[in-house]
Structure formats: structure tokens, C-alpha cells
Amino acid sequence: SLCALAAMVMPLNECASPSSSSARRRRVSAALALALALAFAAAFASAAQEDGYYERDLLASTDEELRALVDNDIPGDGLMYPSSDDEVIVLTINGSVSSLAPLNEKLRKLDGTLNIQFTTELEAVELDKLEFVNFLDIIGNERVASVNLSGLTKVGSLTNPVYSNLYIRFNPLLQDVRLDALESLLRDLKVEDNPMLSALACPNLQKAGQESDLFIIDNTALASLDFPKLQSVKSWVIESCPMLTTLDMPDIRTPAAIEGAESRQVTQSDLEEYAAAQTEAAEEAAVETALDNAFWGN
């Protein structure tokens, strides 16, 4: 429950020494990520009930459970669609699952939600044969270093457009994301708090829905963004990406924002100014940390 999460975070505030700040931030981030996932799941279930939908929940927390799920619940042609207009498929992978190979061997299209969340043994999200999903959330995976969605061409379904999003969030070891074939995104792309991710590219993404937002937030190693064919989004926001120096969005024609900047097309010079400001802020933070350490005797 969210109350349990609050209890988990509260003791962190009692630690006064700066030497514990790094561990404290990691625990807070993990707790908040879990809280967000639970809150979203609750909101999703509530909205589904209000709209007259019911969820078909499929869960795998071990390799054995994933194999059984693939064998029993995914059709032979790899196409998973709701059995009725009021059904919402929610497939969740978590726990000690160490490989997605069985899922990748069979699943091609999922008109539903795929959650890959809070795994402890999974090192790679290898789903290069997945072509379509309505909603995909890759969140809070302790050991995942790569995400391969190189065969994914479309995210989002008009039958359930509210949850037609692609989220990649709170993955501390994630270094590489492949979205080579992605052409269409109905709603939002959010890439948030992946501190080792250095580049993000969607070389073939052309269309985003009228309500689409792009959020690139708290990716502290991110140096380049490459969306060379994207022509329109509702808005996009870049925050707390201090290493970002290269932006390739030559065809973008809609409002954009970098941490509250004027709503307009962002140019390379804007990005350079942003990077300089981030560097200055980092230097000031380093001075403050040094002063704190001197005060505390560390």
C-alpha cells in the first residue's frame, strides 16, 4: 500500500549526515517509482471500471511462470487481442524473471498493457520481435542494461487511446535503448531517471498523436537526442539532462520547452545554453557538498 511506502521513506529523513545522501536518494527514488507504479495501476483499474472495462491480468514473477504464461495464454500466431470490447489485457513481468526469451519467441502484437517492472535478475529487455503494443512501461528494473525494441513499429490503439504510452523509467543500469523501427506513437513517450543512458534515438518516428507529449527527464548521462523524422507533437520537455549537447529534430514544428523556457521550437543554441546552465548548477552543487562535508567533518 502507499501507506507502507510512506513508512519506508520516512526513516530516511531522520538521517542527518551527508554521507548517507546517495543511498537515501536511491531508496527514495525506488520508493517513489514503486508508489507511482501502484498509483498508476490503481488509476488504470479505476478508470477501466468506470468506463465499463474489466482487466484480464496475466502475471509472471519467475522464469517458470513466464514460460507457463507464454504456453497457455499467448495464441500460436503471437497476436493478443481482447476477447471482447470491454476487456483490457494487462501482462506484468516482475520479480526474479531473468530472461524474456520465451515471450520474444512468440509475442508479436499485444492490444493491451505490458509492464516490465521491478525485476531483480533481468539484465536485458530483448523484445525485438514485438511489433505492436498499446501501452508499455519498463520501470524500476535493478539490473537491466539494454532495451531492444528494434522491431516495434507502433505504440497505441484507438480502442483505448488514453493508455497508449511508452514509458522507460527508473532503470539505474540502463545504457542502451533501441527503437529503430518505431514509426507511430499515439500518446506519450517518457524517458525518465535512467542515469547511465547516454543516447536516445527514434530514427523512423514520424507521427505522434495530437495529444502526444515527449518527456526526457533526469537522464544525467544523456548526451544526444535523435528524432530526425518527427514532425509533430503536442509538446516536449527536457529537464535535468546536464550532459545533453546534441539535438537532432530538424522537422519539429510544434511548441517545445526546456525547463520552463518560452514555448517555441528549441534550437541547438538553446540546447547549448541549457547545457551551460546545467554545468554551472552542477559546479555550485559540488561547492555546497564540499562545504557540507567540511562542516560535518567528512
Side-chain angles (χ1 to χ4, degrees), residues 34-64:
L34 181 56
L36 286 171
L38 292 173
F40 181 86
F44 185 97
S46 175
Q49 291 175 355
E50 290 176 3
D51 292 339
Y53 295 104
Y54 70 91
E55 289 188 16
R56 177 187 172 195
D57 290 312
L58 303 172
L59 172 66
S61 298
T62 67
D63 289 332
E64 292 75 16

Side-chain angles (χ1 to χ4, degrees), residues 84-161:
S84 63
D85 291 340
D86 56 358
E87 180 184 73
V88 177
I89 301 172
V90 180
L91 197 168
T92 299
I93 297 170
N94 60 20
S96 64
V97 171
S98 65
S99 172
L100 300 183
L103 190 65
N104 195 38
E105 290 169 6
K106 199 170 183 181
L107 184 63
R108 299 295 175 265
K109 296 182 180 181
L110 171 59
D111 191 358
T113 295
L114 175 57
N115 298 314
I116 302 173
Q117 59 185 34
F118 308 107
T119 60
T120 57
E121 303 299 325
L122 189 65
E123 296 182 356
V125 175
E126 286 287 339
L127 292 174
D128 61 302
K129 294 181 174 63
L130 181 66
E131 301 169 7
F132 163 76
V133 66
N134 190 44
F135 174 66
L136 175 58
D137 195 3
I138 302 173
I139 178 173
N141 300 285
E142 292 182 13
R143 301 174 65 179
V144 166
S146 64
V147 171
N148 184 357
L149 299 167
S150 58
L152 186 66
T153 60
K154 181 180 178 182
V155 175
S157 168
L158 292 175
T159 60
N160 194 3

Side-chain angles (χ1 to χ4, degrees), residues 40-272:
F40 181 86
F44 185 97
S46 175
Q49 291 175 355
E50 290 176 3
D51 292 339
Y53 295 104
Y54 70 91
E55 289 188 16
R56 177 187 172 195
D57 290 312
L58 303 172
L59 172 66
S61 298
T62 67
D63 289 332
E64 292 75 16
E65 290 177 357
L66 180 59
R67 171 56 72 182
L69 185 154
V70 169
D71 290 343
N72 298 327
D73 294 291
I74 299 181
D77 59 7
L79 309 180
M80 290 192 71
Y81 294 101
S83 59
S84 63
D85 291 340
D86 56 358
E87 180 184 73
V88 177
I89 301 172
V90 180
L91 197 168
T92 299
I93 297 170
N94 60 20
S96 64
V97 171
S98 65
S99 172
L100 300 183
L103 190 65
N104 195 38
E105 290 169 6
K106 199 170 183 181
L107 184 63
R108 299 295 175 265
K109 296 182 180 181
L110 171 59
D111 191 358
T113 295
L114 175 57
N115 298 314
I116 302 173
Q117 59 185 34
F118 308 107
T119 60
T120 57
E121 303 299 325
L122 189 65
E123 296 182 356
V125 175
E126 286 287 339
L127 292 174
D128 61 302
K129 294 181 174 63
L130 181 66
E131 301 169 7
F132 163 76
V133 66
N134 190 44
F135 174 66
L136 175 58
D137 195 3
I138 302 173
I139 178 173
N141 300 285
E142 292 182 13
R143 301 174 65 179
V144 166
S146 64
V147 171
N148 184 357
L149 299 167
S150 58
L152 186 66
T153 60
K154 181 180 178 182
V155 175
S157 168
L158 292 175
T159 60
N160 194 3
V162 176
Y163 300 104
S164 298
N165 306 314
L166 173 56
Y167 292 165
I168 303 174
R169 308 177 286 167
F170 303 101
N171 301 287
L173 301 183
L174 180 61
Q175 300 178 46
D176 181 58
V177 174
R178 291 192 58 185
L179 293 165
D180 306 10
L182 185 62
E183 297 178 351
S184 175
L185 174 69
L186 190 59
R187 290 285 298 208
D188 299 344
L189 172 63
K190 179 178 286 188
V191 180
E192 179 180 5
D193 204 345
N194 304 288
M196 296 185 69
L197 183 65
S198 61
L200 179 66
C202 291
N204 289 297
L205 181 60
Q206 300 179 39
K207 296 185 297 182
Q210 293 182 349
E211 297 301 316
S212 292
D213 297 306
L214 302 186
F215 298 98
I216 314 297
I217 301 171
D218 285 326
N219 302 287
T220 53
L222 190 67
S224 67
L225 285 174
D226 185 9
F227 291 77
K229 297 182 180 179
L230 184 60
Q231 297 180 359
S232 64
V233 291
K234 179 184 176 183
S235 66
W236 57 279
V237 177
I238 300 172
E239 290 182 7
S240 301
C241 299
M243 303 300 292
L244 189 59
T245 57
T246 302
L247 178 69
D248 186 7
M249 290 183 173
D251 292 330
I252 211 76
R253 292 291 179 271
T254 51
I258 290 183
E259 289 193 340
E262 181 183 354
S263 185
R264 58 180 171 79
Q265 183 177 355
V266 173
T267 65
Q268 186 67 30
S269 61
D270 291 319
L271 194 58
E272 290 169 357

Side-chain angles (χ1 to χ4, degrees), residues 1-10 30-43 118:
S1 70
L2 295 182
C3 292
L5 286 172
M8 189 175 154
V9 175
M10 283 295 290
L32 290 177
L34 181 56
L36 286 171
L38 292 173
F40 181 86
F118 308 107

